[in-house]
Amino acid sequence: MLILGLDQSITRTGFALYEYPGNERDMRCGSFSCKDGADPEEKCELFARQFKRLVGPKERRPDFIVWERARRRISAYPKKPNPNLLGLGGDGPAPWTVNADQLLLPEIQGIIRGEAISYRIPHESVPPATWRAAIYGKGGGKLSRADAKAQARAYCRALRIAAGNEDEAEAACIARWAATCSQKIRLLFAEAAA
């Protein structure tokens, strides 16, 4: 069974193709970026084209797709105030802003799900805390983003998975989570055996 694991984003999407059961060292990892798009729509279109290259070819189409579930809540941050060079600034509260790329993650997740449905590929999304706790052990689901990325690199080094960056490493961990913990994959194996 060929599992496609994804750690998706606009900045850089990591992917891992894992033939399971098989040796983790044989995972094929890669990444692509969509940040060169001029606007959000173009970035999503670039993502869709790149993703279709992964799942479209019949000779290497994955049997299962798993990706990191997008957060349902979008974080907001106070904007940094502009310097008050002329003494004309107000003393009111700073306006708030959101991370624009976080707004695109649900749309990207929809692209992944839509392609999986279109090609009739079984699929699943997994919250970051869930796969990290299962792969890294107790406390793994509560790591900071930077610590989680470093842990993914260390995990891949330990298993000798050739991940070129932290996004590829997290994609490999997500694929490994699917192979060892996903109930959907267990059902697929049970159906295939019956």
Side-chain angles (χ1 to χ4, degrees), residues 115-191:
E115 288 293 319
I117 292 168
S118 168
Y119 286 112
R120 294 188 173 120
I121 301 171
H123 56 278
E124 181 173 12
S125 67
V126 58
T130 299
W131 73 258
R132 287 175 180 159
I135 295 294
Y136 306 148
K138 189 173 182 175
K142 296 179 182 176
L143 294 172
S144 70
R145 185 179 187 278
D147 289 343
K149 297 278 186 186
Q151 186 70 24
R153 292 297 299 256
Y155 183 85
C156 286
R157 275 193 303 276
L159 293 178
R160 296 192 287 177
I161 298 169
N165 57 53
E166 62 270 359
D167 299 305
E168 293 176 19
E170 285 207 325
C173 291
I174 292 167
R176 185 82 176 107
W177 172 87
T180 57
C181 301
S182 170
Q183 294 301 314
K184 286 191 176 185
I185 285 194
R186 289 181 189 192
L187 287 173
L188 288 173
F189 272 114
E191 289 172 6

Side-chain angles (χ1 to χ4, degrees), residues 70-87:
R71 293 177 61 188
R72 304 246 186 256
R73 286 190 239 160
I74 304 299
S75 301
Y77 309 94
K79 278 187 168 183
K80 292 182 182 174
N82 289 331
N84 186 1
L85 299 176
L86 301 175

Side-chain angles (χ1 to χ4, degrees), residues 61-74:
R61 188 167 296 154
D63 300 302
F64 191 81
I65 301 172
V66 61
W67 65 91
E68 185 174 88
R69 186 176 302 158
R71 293 177 61 188
R72 304 246 186 256
R73 286 190 239 160
I74 304 299

